[in-house]
Amino acid sequence: MRITPVPNLTVNYDWKHMKSKQGLWLGRIGNYNGGVRPDGRVFSLNAALSTSTSPNGGLPAESDTHQLDALYKFTGFGIEHQIQAGAEVRRQTSGVDRVPLDFSKAAPRIAWDGSVLTGRDAYAFYDPFGGAPPPDIRDLQSGGLTRGLVRTLAKYRDYYLSYRGQAMDGKLNLLMGARQVNLLYPEPQGTDYTWTVGALYTVVPGFRVFASTSKVIVFTNQLSVDNSGATAADNPKKLDNETGEGVEFGIKTDWRDNTLSGSISYYKDQRAN
């Protein structure tokens, strides 16, 4: 829903709901790291994957995202300014099936350096670009299904603010954004911040250079002591969130109405925790 109560001011409300039912074998072949961006429009619908050992059906995953923000535009000092501020509440939940695996059943594989991988290594170090078909983890099943052993639920409330400026007849674009991320569930709660600063400049028609720096976070639910025999006497503590700062710069082109189209960039990210 979009409302323009006065000129140059737009108020947006956006609700997205996603529900899926999947029967996948995700296993532990690869775990991918996500991040939270400060612009308020990316990664809002990333529901955790629901994995199931059943070939049909599977377990459900759901996510909700509510966004309310205001966008104001004005011109001053020869620059077109655009300011956006808003809040977002997002919730995601999923279930996971588990099944015992016997990695001694894994077929040997050749690694990128010519060595032979056996057991768990045949899966952990599988090279998707090596030409060999991906391993099928179903071949390792050694017991019955444990349904719903793990069920995840995460809820966040975020606040974000961004600025964009266009100068020099649109040749120079500036962008700044910040986001406060508040983890409401699971306990213990946590708060962190992300930000982005960047610029894009048209050198000649069809060729633009850009550069940016940003901070990302990955919330963790892992504990310092986490196993089936852990007790309160082990004093488990929640590990710190993963944080990182990165820089990126490169060139974009849409030369001669996309006769030559594309981009090339360099990105460097340094992570902590």
Side-chain angles (χ1 to χ4, degrees):
M1 181 172 60
R2 178 173 297 170
I3 302 173
T4 306
V6 296
N8 298 331
L9 176 64
T10 303
V11 179
N12 299 288
Y13 170 71
D14 191 29
W15 173 53
K16 296 185 180 73
H17 179 74
M18 182 178 72
K19 186 173 183 178
S20 62
K21 191 173 184 181
Q22 302 174 357
L24 302 177
W25 279 82
L26 184 65
R28 290 287 179 178
I29 297 177
N31 294 318
Y32 300 96
N33 238 345
V36 181
R37 290 182 53 170
D39 56 17
R41 296 297 177 187
V42 180
F43 294 149
S44 295
L45 280 181
N46 278 3
L49 278 178
S50 158
T51 62
S52 173
T53 52
S54 57
N56 302 309
L59 294 178
E62 293 186 57
S63 69
D64 275 296
T65 302
H66 297 268
Q67 289 178 319
L68 178 65
D69 58 43
L71 179 67
Y72 183 65
K73 300 179 180 180
F74 64 98
T75 301
F77 304 103
I79 302 176
E80 295 182 10
H81 307 276
Q82 181 173 296
I83 299 176
Q84 184 177 23
E88 176 182 276
V89 177
R90 47 200 168 93
R91 176 190 65 89
Q92 56 194 39
T93 179
S94 68
V96 178
D97 285 348
R98 288 188 173 178
V99 65
L101 301 177
D102 181 3
F103 281 92
S104 66
K105 299 179 179 179
R109 288 183 173 268
I110 304 299
W112 63 272
D113 59 357
S115 61
V116 179
L117 301 175
T118 60
R120 185 183 297 270
D121 289 343
Y123 285 79
F125 299 103
Y126 164 70
D127 179 8
F129 303 104
D136 191 340
I137 204 169
R138 284 173 288 194
D139 296 336
L140 307 183
Q141 184 170 344
S142 62
L145 173 68
T146 303
R147 166 139 298 189
L149 178 64
V150 176
R151 183 165 179 82
T152 62
L153 173 63
K155 186 175 182 179
Y156 299 86
R157 181 185 295 120
D158 300 354
Y159 302 96
Y160 53 90
L161 176 68
S162 67
Y163 166 81
R164 179 178 177 178
Q166 272 194 340
M168 303 173 63
D169 295 326
K171 290 181 64 175
L172 176 62
N173 287 263
L174 304 173
L175 174 67
M176 294 182 289
R179 170 180 279 250
Q180 183 193 64
V181 185
N182 301 282
L183 177 64
L184 305 181
Y185 186 88
E187 304 270 350
Q189 301 175 5
T191 297
D192 214 322
Y193 299 87
T194 67
W195 48 262
T196 292
V197 177
L200 184 147
Y201 179 71
T202 302
V203 182
V204 294
F207 290 91
R208 293 168 288 172
V209 294
F210 63 91
S212 68
T213 179
S214 60
K215 175 190 174 183
V216 296
I217 62 170
V218 180
F219 280 91
T220 177
N221 295 325
Q222 293 180 325
L223 300 177
S224 56
V225 180
D226 186 9
N227 59 68
S228 58
T231 66
D234 295 316
N235 193 25
K237 298 181 182 295
K238 182 176 176 292
L239 298 180
D240 292 336
N241 296 326
E242 180 180 335
T243 62
E245 294 184 10
V247 294
E248 182 179 24
F249 55 87
I251 302 173
K252 288 176 173 286
T253 175
D254 55 1
W255 182 64
R256 289 193 175 181
D257 195 21
N258 290 316
T259 300
L260 177 63
S261 175
S263 65
I264 182 171
S265 66
Y266 173 81
Y267 178 75
K268 182 177 181 180
D269 187 21
Q270 186 170 352
R271 297 290 179 102
N273 305 322

